[in-house]
Every structure is written in structure tokens, then in C-alpha cells.
């Protein structure tokens, strides 16, 4: 102000510049998500999940990158404890849990385990080999997802994240597809027995969410939706278009799908879901094996495609959410994805540059968060997608 109390021309220009800069900043940033976001984490959980043979070390990388971007401090920490046998029996059979306990004891005493001839091995072979400390790992994973569900029920947070859960293939008495425990089913059952009446489950993993679908096949309280690769001989083999019903929607896809096609399809699927099912909680499994560069080498998605789907979900449903991890075997790209999704869920912008932290050198050569899609062909042409959508929106279910 000058001595007469009037603004000088220079002051007015400076104020105008500041206003313009803040307007630009607002337009570039995400709209801030006001919901309290809970993050399931404990050192013991990370140690256990990092022991799983197919994703060794992944949990530590994911948590390290989330921490490096400063996202930890924006979330409410949800400290999990191991699930009890009684809690796990809400889905898994007593025989299966007893077998896991016996296998674990035998490995501890002999350092090797052999199933007796002709004995039911409950799926503990090949993809789900018996491993040391298995009972502890299973109960930690189950406890972590129950912690997420309990935080929703107690209204400690509106959105809970458990990137260390999401093991969607396990069945009541059978380990399957790298999954020894179906923590997602346990979390959904917990919500159902604590006041929630209509739960929507969305599975974005490369593989069909068969374990969750089968668990609720005869329930009108849970709608399961799975977008996945479907091809003869591709695991788990279920989830074809003919496997659809009123409360289970399968979206079988071919190789090479890119962000644009996936997001467009996802939007239409969500419209169909909303017209059929009035959810009071939404559970989303965000497996990262759909990313370009995954060893499965099937889909051609980047962080942006999956991020857009998560953003769309949050803006489409005014309900509590739980976000889970899942598959994903290029573990650096999966840690990029789940860090980016954490930022989307929080509604904060993070830079493309990986911050300096103890794992920084592993992110060579780009040292960047985002990844580029490849030039591979998208086999999901418009005639296939149209026939898929026509079948999905068929009201005769
Ligand atoms: Zn998968």
C-alpha cells in the first residue's frame, strides 16, 4: 500500500500473478479426497508376505516406495494381528487348516515335507508348494485383510488399503494359483456378519477371480465382477462369458488390451453393475499382472489405465472401499502401480521421478514411476468388444 492506503500497480500485478499460479496448481492437481484412508501394515506382515516364493521381496519394495513418496504419513496406520483359527474357519475348512499346521510342523522338524501316498494334499504342491512358516504366513495374511474389514466396520476409515492381501484363487479347502488363503472372502464375510448387506467385488487381476466368485456363487448379497484374460489352457480356466449369472459378471479378454480399451470397457461394465446392484461396500482386487512388462506378457496396461479405473470406482460409489493387491510378477512395476494407486486413492499428486531411497537403484534405467505401453497388437477388436457388451447387458440374466 502507498501512504494513501492504495495498492500500487506493482502490488496488483504481483497479486494477480499469485492468483493465476494457484489457479493453475489447482487445475493440475487431483481433487483432494477427504475420506480417511487406512493402510494395513506391520513389519511381521511384510516379512511373511515377502517370503512367498512367487513374489519374494515384493511387499518390502511396495511399502518402501509408498514410504519414499511420503504417502505413509497421509494415511491412518492399521496394525494387523494374525487371524485365529476360528476366524479363518469362517471360510476355510478345519481339515485344510489342520493340514497346513501339520505341514508347517513337519517342515520345521525335518526341513523337508512329503505328502503321504494317496493323501489329499489340499492343493499344497506345484504352484502352492509347502514352504517354511506357512501357518504363520497364512494367519498373518488372513489377519491383515480382517484388519481392513474391521476398520471399515468400526468406521475408523472410509477406505482401507491392503496391498499385501488379495489372494483370490484359494478355495475353502484347497490352495490354488499361488494363493494359500482367501483373505478377500474372509474380509467380505466379516463385513456381511457386521451389518453390510450388499457387497460389490471387482477383480482387476489378469486371472479370473475364481475363488471369490465360487465362495459367493449362491449368495444374493455379493456381486462379483472379474475382468481377466480368458483363453483355452490359461489358468484357472473359468470366467468365460457363458459362466455369467445375475450376480457374477465375467469379462473375458484377449491379449494386448491397452489402457484406452480397458478403461472404456470398465466404464460400461460399471454402468451395468450400477443398474443391477445397489452396493453398500465395494471391494477391489488390483492385481498387477495386467501391466505391460509382466512375465505373463498378456495385457498392455500402464499405471494410468488401472489408475483411471480406480478413480472411476471411487467417484461412482459413495460407499466404504477396501483395495487389495493380488498378482503381479514384475515386482518393480507392481510397486510402481500400488504406489500410484495409493496416491489416486488419497487424491494427491506425486511426481514421476522416483525419490531417493534405499531401493532407488533398482528402478533403473528410467528411475521414473510411470511405464510405457508396448507396440503389441490389441486382439480385442471392436466386433469382439461389442458382442461382449451385448451379452453382458443382456437383461435376461
Ligand atoms: Zn493373476
Amino acid at each position: 500500500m502507498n501512504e494513501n492506503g492504495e495498492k500500487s500497480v506493482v502490488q496488483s500485478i504481483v497479486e494477480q500473478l499469485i492468483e493465476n499460479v494457484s489457479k493453475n496448481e489447482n487445475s493440475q492437481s487431483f481433487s483432494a479426497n477427504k475420506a480417511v484412508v487406512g493402510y494395513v501394515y506391520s513389519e511381521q506382515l511384510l516379512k511373511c508376505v515377502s517370503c512367498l516364493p512367487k513374489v519374494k521381496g515384493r511387499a518390502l519394495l511396495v511399502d518402501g516406495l509408498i514410504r519414499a513418496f511420503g504417502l505413509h504419513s497421509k494415511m491412518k496406520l492399521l496394525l494387523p494381528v494374525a487371524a485365529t483359527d476360528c476366524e479363518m474357519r469362517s471360510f476355510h475348512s478345519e481339515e485344510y487348516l489342520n493340514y497346513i499346521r501339520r505341514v508347517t510342523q513337519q517342515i520345521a522338524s525335518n526341513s523337508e515335507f512329503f505328502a503321504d501316498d494317496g493323501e489329499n494334499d489340499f492343493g499344497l504342491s506345484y504352484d502352492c508348494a509347502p514352504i517354511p512358516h506357512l501357518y504363520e504366513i497364512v494367519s498373518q495374511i488372513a489377519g491383515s485383510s480382517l484388519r481392513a474389514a474391521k476398520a471399515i466396520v468400526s468406521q475408523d476409515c472410509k477406505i482401507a488399503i491392503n496391498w499385501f492381501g488379495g489372494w483370490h484363487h484359494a478355495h475353502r479347502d484347497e490352495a490354488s494359483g499361488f494363493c494359500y488363503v482367501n483373505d478377500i472372502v474372509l474380509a467380505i464375510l466379516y463385513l456381511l456378519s457386521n451389518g453390510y448387506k450388499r457387497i460389490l467385488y471387482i477383480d482387476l487381476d489378469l486371472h479370473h477371480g475364481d475363488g471369490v466368485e465360487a465362495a459367493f456363487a449362491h449368495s444374493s448379497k455379493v456381486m462379483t465382477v472379474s475382468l481377466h484374460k480368458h483363453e483355452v489352457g490359461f489358468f484357472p480356466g473359468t470366467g468365460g462369458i457363458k459362466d455369467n449369472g445375475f450376480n457374477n459378471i465375467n469379462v473375458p479378454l484377449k491379449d494386448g488390451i491397452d489402457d484406452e480399451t480397458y478403461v472404456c470397457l470398465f466404464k460400461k461394465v460399471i454402468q451395468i453393475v450400477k443398474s443391477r446392484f445397489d452396493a453398500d461396500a465395494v471391494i477391489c482386487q488390483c492385481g498387477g499382472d495386467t501391466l505391460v512388462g509382466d512375465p505373463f506378457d498378456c495385457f498392455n496396461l500402464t499405471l494410468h489405465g488401472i489408475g483411471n479405473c480406480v478413480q472411476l470406482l471411487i467417484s461412482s460409489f459413495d460407499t466404504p472401499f477396501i483395495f487389495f493387491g493380488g498378482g503381479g510378477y514384475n515386482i518393480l512395476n507392481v510397486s510402481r502401480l500400488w504406489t500410484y494407486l495409493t496416491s489416486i486413492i488419497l487424491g494427491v499428486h506425486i511426481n514421476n521421478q522416483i525419490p531417493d531411497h534405499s531401493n532407488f537403484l533398482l528402478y533403473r534405467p528410467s528411475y521414473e514411476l510411470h511405464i510405457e505401453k508396448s507396440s503389441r497388437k490389441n486382439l480385442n477388436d471392436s466386433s469382439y468388444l461389442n458382442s461382449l457388451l451385448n451379452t453382458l447387458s443382456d437383461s435376461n440374466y
Side-chain angles (χ1 to χ4, degrees), residues 168-169 205-207 289 327-329:
H168 61 166
H169 294 306
D205 196 275
L206 176 69
H207 300 89
D289 38 11
Y329 308 96

Side-chain angles (χ1 to χ4, degrees), residues 103-122:
V103 166
T104 309
Q105 285 164 355
Q106 286 193 16
I107 292 175
S109 55
N110 304 332
S111 76
E112 249 184 305
F113 170 79
F114 298 101
D116 297 338
D117 274 351
E119 189 182 23
N120 178 4
D121 69 1
F122 295 90

Side-chain angles (χ1 to χ4, degrees), residues 24-48:
N24 285 341
E25 278 175 355
N26 286 341
S27 65
Q28 282 167 6
S29 63
F30 294 100
S31 58
N33 189 350
K34 300 285 189 296
V36 176
V37 178
Y39 176 72
V40 178
Y41 161 88
S42 77
E43 281 186 19
Q44 186 60 12
L45 173 65
L46 259 60
K47 222 166 93 183
C48 281

